[in-house]
């Protein structure tokens, strides 16, 4: 088979930060080994997130010039609404500045204190918005999702037996909604099958429970359905996406992912009364319902990007390039989460540094070493981010997994950039016995990973 090439050529370039080893060692000391605190110019390859970091196409840049900045009823709004309705098919489209703004409006209009929300896995901002509305967020991924090296084509699926059991336990009234995240970011960017979406929908409809999708990476999810699910091979990703949405009552969307824009999001619902209440809240904090916190030009870029994110050539390259990184790392002996997901590759830092106990943060040690050797910024997703405290003793308990996420921005880096990342990771692996854990010297009371300070042990 031939190399799957980037299905675009480069029209505009942006220099990236090139640095020396002593400069990077000095930078690490200055930021107390917290990679969030680096200047972006100090980074050579930035794999912190795939959110808002994509490269827009020439068609999107051209669409920007069509931006109609009228406060109300702009042409850009009409084009945006038409694109969202064409692909998603919901009755009401409510624009927001990004995904979490849509989540907040959803949570504050749909959830009463004391209720529960059930998901395959809530993303952190989703969980925080559910909890801020006074509800409990429950995650029920299939059991395979918790085993880093077990191969399964749809590791993002929800455990539907557990869903029925939760409905029996709590009763319909106590369940505000069911929210399925496609693809499941926190579970490793793993896809959800069409069969699972259909089954979850059937269960929700039979009990009268609202069923919503967190649709950030819906196009990547459609590609996995096309290539992995029986009978789906001959369908266009856009048709698969339309079918997925047809089973839900609405969705939240961060356009910063699969719509390949730098800012934007929206909320959809089929419920007329709910949509009225959502728009009331929107006006209070985001803006008038025909722009919702976005410029007309942002709406234009999303309207174009939604279709580009669903193009077959793009998706084939996108998923192949993520798999390329995961497979090369795996061959080099770097333990990675299997199978590779859509938007990111996850290094299993606990397996890479078995001599570093979880509460000495092996993920942080690997992430800092990747920066030290190659100027690469990745993100620890382990006990720095998700350790909990024993409610009785206050003792710190490690997170279930110690991962380092290499999130891949869309259409930004070429295969040679990724080869460089693979070489740097192999160097980290070769030095692993010399790597030590970290201790925290300062931490905030919540969301500590953003501002914590560390010291190597
Ligand atoms: N839902 C999922 C599944 C996400 O991955 C994100 C963001 C959001 C909701 C929130 O959207 O950032 O536009 O407010 N994920 C980014 C990440 C931040 O790095 O994974 P937002």
């Amino acid at each position: 088979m031939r190399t799957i090439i980037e299905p675009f050529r480069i029209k505009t370039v942006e220099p990236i930060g090139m640095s020396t080893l002593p400069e990077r060692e000095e930078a690490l000391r200055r930021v107390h080994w917290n990679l969030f605190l680096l200047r972006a110019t100090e980074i050579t390859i930035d794999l912190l997130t795939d959110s808002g970091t994509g490269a827009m196409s020439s068609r999107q840049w051209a669409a920007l010039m069509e931006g109609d900045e009228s406060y109300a009823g702009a042409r850009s709004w009409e084009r945006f609404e038409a694109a969202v309705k064409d692909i998603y098919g919901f009755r009401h489209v409510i624009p927001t500045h990004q995904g979490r703004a849509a989540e907040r409006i959803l949570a504050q209009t749909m959830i009463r204190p004391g209720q529960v929300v059930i998901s395959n896995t809530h993303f952190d901002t989703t969980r925080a918005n559910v909890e801020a509305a006074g509800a409990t967020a429950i995650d029920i991924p299939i059991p395979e999702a918790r085993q880093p090296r077990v191969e399964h084509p749809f590791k993002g699926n929800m455990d539907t037996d557990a869903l029925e059991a939760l409905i029996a336990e709590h009763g319909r009234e106590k369940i505000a909604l069911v929210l399925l995240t496609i693809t499941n970011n926190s579970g490793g960017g793993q896809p959800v099958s069409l069969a699972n979406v259909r089954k979850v929908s059937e269960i929700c409809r039979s009990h009268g429970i609202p069923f919503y999708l967190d649709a950030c990476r819906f196009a990547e999810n459609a590609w996995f359905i096309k290539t992995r699910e029986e009978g789906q091979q001959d369908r266009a990703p856009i048709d698969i996406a339309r079918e997925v949405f047809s089973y839900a009552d609405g969705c939240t969307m961060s356009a910063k992912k699969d719509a390949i824009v730098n800012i934007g999001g929206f909320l959809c619902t089929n419920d007329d009364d709910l949509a009225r209440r959502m728009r009331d809240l929107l006006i209070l904090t985001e803006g008038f319902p025909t722009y919702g916190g976005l410029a007309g030009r942002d709406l234009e870029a999303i309207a174009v990007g939604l279709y580009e994110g669903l193009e077959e050539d793009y998706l084939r390259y996108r998923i192949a390039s993520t798999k390329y990184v995961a497979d090369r790392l795996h061959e080099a002996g770097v333990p990675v989460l299997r199978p590779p997901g859509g938007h990111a590759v996850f290094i299993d830092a606990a397996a890479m540094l078995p001599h570093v106990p979880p509460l000495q943060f092996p993920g942080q040690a690997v992430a800092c070493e990747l920066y030290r050797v190659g100027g690469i910024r990745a993100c620890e997703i382990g006990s720095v981010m998700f350790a909990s405290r024993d409610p009785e003793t206050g003792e710190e308990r490690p997170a279930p997994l110690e991962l380092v996420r290499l999130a891949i921005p869309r259409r930004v880096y070429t295969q040679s950039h990724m080869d460089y990342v693979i070489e740097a990771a192999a160097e980290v692996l070769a030095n692993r016995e010399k790597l030590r854990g970290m201790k925290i010297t300062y931490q905030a009371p919540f969301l500590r990973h953003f501002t914590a300070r560390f010291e190597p042990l």
Side-chain angles (χ1 to χ4, degrees):
M1 205 178 72
R2 295 208 178 140
T3 302
I4 294 173
I5 60 169
E6 289 82 9
F8 48 79
R9 54 184 179 174
I10 296 164
K11 195 186 291 251
T12 306
V13 297
E14 180 187 3
I16 54 180
M18 305 302 257
S19 54
T20 61
L21 187 64
E23 283 167 349
R24 293 192 295 271
E25 286 175 340
E26 176 52 38
L28 278 173
R29 275 192 292 275
R30 192 192 78 237
V31 301
H32 303 275
W33 290 269
N34 184 332
L35 304 176
F36 282 103
L37 304 181
L38 286 167
R39 289 194 289 268
T41 49
E42 292 172 316
I43 293 155
T44 305
I45 309 276
D46 200 350
L47 306 181
L48 185 61
T49 179
D50 67 318
S51 179
T53 53
M56 293 211 294
S57 67
S58 51
R59 268 188 284 151
Q60 283 177 296
W61 283 108
L64 245 67
M65 286 304 291
E66 297 287 338
D68 173 356
E69 306 301 343
S70 304
Y71 189 91
R75 277 193 320 276
S76 301
W77 154 252
E78 289 172 9
R79 276 194 282 266
F80 166 84
E81 188 192 31
V84 177
K85 283 194 169 171
D86 177 40
I87 297 167
Y88 291 66
F90 298 114
R91 284 167 61 80
H92 301 280
V93 181
I94 297 168
T96 59
H97 79 276
Q98 63 183 73
R100 67 197 70 182
E103 291 163 6
R104 187 181 70 84
I105 292 171
L106 180 92
Q108 295 193 355
T109 51
M110 292 191 71
I111 299 174
R112 290 192 310 277
Q115 286 190 306
V116 299
V117 177
I118 302 169
S119 179
N120 46 350
T121 311
H122 291 80
F123 181 68
D124 349 350
T125 58
T126 323
R127 170 174 288 274
N129 273 299
V130 165
E131 289 171 355
T136 306
I138 302 176
D139 293 339
I140 46 165
I142 54 169
E144 289 87 342
R146 301 193 201 272
Q147 296 164 337
R149 266 167 296 281
V150 171
E151 297 272 350
H152 185 290
F154 291 104
K155 253 182 166 174
N157 283 354
M158 180 179 275
D159 182 338
T160 50
D161 291 338
L163 176 60
E164 305 221 57
L166 282 171
I167 297 171
E169 180 192 336
H170 292 283
R172 186 260 162 274
E173 282 308 307
K174 234 193 134 188
I175 300 170
L177 70 148
V178 169
L179 184 70
L180 196 58
T181 310
I182 58 171
T183 59
N184 189 11
N185 181 6
S186 312
Q190 299 290 335
V192 177
S193 71
L194 196 55
N196 191 252
V197 177
R198 214 181 278 135
K199 178 84 188 169
V200 172
S201 172
E202 268 166 32
I203 295 171
C204 289
R205 287 200 174 150
S206 72
H207 290 91
I209 297 168
F211 171 43
Y212 281 68
L213 295 166
D214 176 341
C216 299
R217 300 179 181 86
F218 75 103
E220 291 173 4
N221 199 79
W223 184 260
F224 283 115
I225 290 174
K226 178 179 168 68
T227 52
R228 292 186 183 171
E229 195 158 347
E230 218 181 300
Q232 302 301 318
Q233 281 65 35
D234 297 329
R235 299 181 73 191
I238 193 168
D239 291 328
I240 295 172
R242 284 181 180 128
E243 185 180 343
V244 165
F245 290 126
S246 75
Y247 298 122
D249 300 309
C251 73
T252 56
M253 174 76 191
S254 169
K256 299 169 75 171
K257 284 80 169 177
D258 275 352
I260 327 183
V261 292
N262 306 116
I263 196 73
F266 50 89
L267 176 59
C268 295
T269 182
N270 284 333
D271 181 329
D272 298 343
D273 174 58
L274 183 62
R276 212 167 300 125
R277 289 187 288 123
M278 286 170 164
R279 289 197 179 101
D280 289 343
L281 198 54
L282 185 83
I283 291 173
L284 200 60
T285 58
E286 289 278 303
F288 191 70
T290 64
Y291 74 88
L294 293 170
R297 56 179 173 270
D298 296 325
L299 297 169
E300 296 279 355
I302 295 170
V304 175
L306 281 172
Y307 289 102
E308 290 186 353
L310 282 162
E311 281 170 9
E312 291 205 17
D313 288 343
Y314 161 73
L315 282 170
R316 181 177 300 107
Y317 138 80
R318 168 76 177 156
I319 302 303
S321 57
T322 303
K323 183 174 183 306
Y324 174 85
V325 177
D327 288 351
R328 292 297 95 76
L329 287 174
H330 184 64
E331 283 160 25
V334 177
V336 290
L337 208 81
R338 301 291 307 175
H343 67 295
V345 176
F346 291 74
I347 296 177
D348 184 348
M352 194 162 175
L353 305 184
H355 57 286
V356 177
L359 291 177
Q360 291 179 11
F361 312 118
Q364 191 64 20
V366 169
C368 286
E369 186 65 5
L370 263 176
Y371 178 73
R372 196 183 72 86
V373 303
I376 296 155
R377 177 158 68 173
C379 185
E380 193 264 9
I381 302 193
S383 290
V384 175
M385 208 180 256
F386 290 128
S388 55
R389 291 215 175 264
D390 187 304
E392 314 259 286
T393 63
E395 203 188 335
E396 195 166 28
R397 290 182 303 206
L401 296 172
E402 301 297 332
L403 303 176
V404 175
R405 183 178 80 164
L406 310 177
I408 306 181
R410 293 170 182 75
R411 306 190 293 208
V412 170
Y413 295 117
T414 62
Q415 188 167 321
S416 66
H417 287 119
M418 288 301 142
D419 285 336
Y420 171 86
V421 170
I422 293 156
E423 285 160 19
E427 213 175 307
V428 174
L429 181 74
N431 294 336
R432 70 178 182 277
E433 267 147 38
K434 284 190 230 123
L435 286 182
R436 287 159 299 152
M438 299 257 172
K439 75 168 190 217
I440 293 184
T441 58
Y442 161 79
Q443 58 181 306
F446 49 85
L447 295 175
R448 67 177 179 184
H449 51 282
F450 291 120
T451 52
R453 293 178 172 191
F454 301 86
E455 241 171 47
L457 287 165

